[in-house]
Amino acid sequence: MKKKLLLIVDDWELLERYEERFSPVYDVLCAPLGSEGMRLAREESPDAVLLNLTFENMTNEEACAALRADPVTRKIPIGAVGDGGAGPDRWFREPLTVASVENLFG
């Protein structure tokens, strides 16, 4: 059975590229908004979450804090694309690869 990866990415083109890249290996769930991602994380219990929020009014750090504050989602490993900071278990830089994201699952 494939691991379930939730992509919370607010750039449609990037979300489609990530989905295409990761769907051969993972069961990929996609959310174009942080609020939609929070809902999917609660309902679907993914094995990991990957954040790339740059345009929306929610940052990677805020989304991570919301996931950590919820008892249902607090233990899900979280990765984010960016330069670092508080919040996610792991920060990634582009280009993302299946091998790099695999490290998120532990």
Side-chain angles (χ1 to χ4, degrees), residues 9-12 14 52-59:
V9 180
D10 61 4
D11 177 322
W12 278 100
L14 191 57
N52 193 343
L53 299 171
T54 55
F55 300 115
E56 189 185 343
N57 62 358
M58 179 182 282
T59 66

Side-chain angles (χ1 to χ4, degrees), residues 2 5 7 12-26 28-30 96 98:
K2 288 183 178 180
L5 175 64
L7 303 173
W12 278 100
E13 287 182 32
L14 191 57
L15 182 60
E16 288 176 355
R17 280 200 315 262
Y18 285 175
E19 182 180 24
E20 185 176 298
R21 183 175 305 152
F22 297 121
S23 63
V25 179
Y26 305 114
V28 176
L29 304 167
C30 295
L96 290 177
V98 170

Side-chain angles (χ1 to χ4, degrees), residues 29-103:
L29 304 167
C30 295
L33 299 171
S35 56
E36 176 70 8
M38 301 302 117
R39 183 187 65 76
L40 279 174
R42 287 186 58 77
E43 291 176 4
E44 298 291 333
S45 298
D47 296 299
V49 173
L50 181 63
L51 302 168
N52 193 343
L53 299 171
T54 55
F55 300 115
E56 189 185 343
N57 62 358
M58 179 182 282
T59 66
N60 287 329
E61 291 84 357
E62 291 167 335
C64 186
L67 289 166
R68 293 287 187 242
D70 188 326
V72 174
T73 60
R74 78 172 40 151
K75 293 190 179 194
I76 298 171
I78 301 170
V81 177
D83 294 326
D89 299 302
R90 185 169 179 109
W91 284 97
F92 296 100
R93 292 187 184 261
E94 291 287 356
L96 290 177
T97 65
V98 170
S100 64
V101 171
E102 183 63 29
N103 292 327

